[in-house]
Amino acid sequence: MVLNHTSSMNFHTLFEEHGQLLKFDKGIQIFQEGETADDIYLVKHGKIQISKESEMGKELTLRICGRGSILGETTLFNKEIIHSTSAIALTGSEVYLLSKSALELLLTEQPALLIEYLKWLQNENIKNQSLIRDLVMNGKKGALYSTLIRLSNTYGETITDNVVYINFNLTNTEIANLCSTSREMINRMLNELRKQKIITLDKGFITINDLQFLKDEICCENCPSSICRID
């Protein structure tokens, strides 16, 4: 999630003034599930995939984060915790690293920022609940449709009210990981949408030609764009 303008500037200032700027090439892991989580990250530039692996080795992509997104275990004022997810750079990326202990101290010294952080954390919890609901309640087709809607809200460029170009290249495997299903099933469902002219596919880029169709199919509740996102 990208914070609102005022809090975004404040949080950027905290990370820029007190954090360490790190650069990651495409494919490099930033942190791994199971590692001790001593730091929090703020994305300055690039795209970062946040994923979780099941005991069977199946990968679920939870977020694809861009500029302004905060990564890592964001619970503060706790004893030692571990990363519940893994992060990998999908493109060349730059992130600020700030230790949790430093962030805790900074927020304690600035109560207004602490309140903003709590508001942000609450919004993240609502967003995660919404994502889980869509994946569990709407079936495989609904999971794909809601993922496309979230991608359009996050990386979409509006052509008309009902037509959105998703300006982010994704393979069918990456989309399948976002939907917690197989690449073969995603292939079939995307081809079906393409034949119905609901979407257009062009070298990994998707244009949604009928956004309302996708929303109607999953009985979309028209959540705020701050909630219905993939970052």
Side-chain angles (χ1 to χ4, degrees):
M1 170 190 170
V2 179
L3 306 175
N4 65 50
H5 180 73
T6 301
S7 59
S8 177
M9 290 300 294
N10 288 334
F11 273 95
H12 273 92
T13 299
L14 287 182
F15 280 84
E16 289 172 1
E17 292 185 354
H18 303 279
Q20 178 185 1
L21 182 62
L22 304 176
K23 296 183 179 181
F24 296 92
D25 293 331
K26 178 180 178 181
I28 298 298
Q29 194 166 64
I30 298 171
F31 56 79
Q32 185 173 4
E33 184 176 353
E35 293 178 342
T36 302
D38 294 325
D39 307 299
I40 295 182
Y41 306 80
L42 175 72
V43 181
K44 178 183 179 183
H45 171 76
K47 297 289 186 296
I48 310 292
Q49 173 184 291
I50 306 298
S51 60
K52 189 172 183 65
E53 191 170 300
S54 71
E55 293 181 358
M56 303 298 292
K58 184 176 181 180
E59 184 179 64
L60 170 62
T61 300
L62 300 172
R63 302 166 62 196
I64 297 179
C65 302
R67 184 178 67 85
S69 294
I70 295 178
L71 317 177
E73 300 302 314
T74 53
T75 302
L76 301 179
F77 307 102
N78 247 335
K79 293 183 178 180
E80 182 177 298
I81 59 175
I82 61 173
H83 284 292
S84 60
T85 58
S86 298
I88 189 170
L90 295 180
T91 64
S93 303
E94 295 182 349
V95 302
Y96 289 104
L97 177 151
L98 185 61
S99 71
K100 282 192 171 184
S101 57
L103 182 58
E104 288 169 356
L105 180 60
L106 290 165
L107 292 178
T108 301
E109 293 173 342
Q110 303 180 63
L113 275 185
L114 178 57
I115 292 172
E116 288 297 331
Y117 186 84
L118 292 174
K119 288 180 179 178
W120 170 82
L121 195 59
Q122 182 181 44
N123 195 84
E124 287 294 285
N125 289 335
I126 295 171
K127 187 167 67 174
N128 290 335
Q129 291 171 11
S130 172
L131 174 62
I132 293 170
R133 177 201 65 198
D134 288 346
L135 292 178
V136 173
M137 300 293 291
N138 293 324
K140 300 302 182 184
K141 183 176 288 188
L144 172 61
Y145 291 4
S146 66
T147 296
L148 291 175
I149 294 169
R150 290 174 188 276
L151 285 167
S152 72
N153 287 336
T154 310
Y155 299 111
E157 297 178 359
T158 301
I159 298 174
T160 69
D161 288 343
N162 204 34
V163 180
V164 180
Y165 171 71
I166 300 175
N167 190 15
F168 185 55
N169 189 302
L170 286 167
T171 67
N172 285 7
T173 298
E174 289 169 336
I175 296 174
N177 289 341
L178 284 166
C179 300
S180 187
T181 188
S182 67
R183 180 176 59 84
E184 291 74 19
M185 181 169 289
I186 290 298
N187 289 345
R188 289 196 295 271
M189 291 191 292
L190 287 176
N191 283 330
E192 181 181 337
L193 289 174
R194 181 181 55 80
K195 289 176 182 177
Q196 297 177 49
K197 301 188 185 301
I198 303 299
I199 65 170
T200 301
L201 303 173
D202 183 18
K203 298 178 181 178
F205 290 92
I206 298 175
T207 299
I208 301 175
N209 301 315
D210 191 348
L211 184 61
Q212 192 59 49
F213 171 85
L214 300 180
K215 291 182 176 182
D216 291 343
E217 286 292 299
I218 63 170
C219 300
C220 177
E221 298 176 0
N222 291 310
C223 299
S225 59
S226 61
I227 299 297
C228 187
R229 301 178 63 87
I230 208 70
D231 61 352

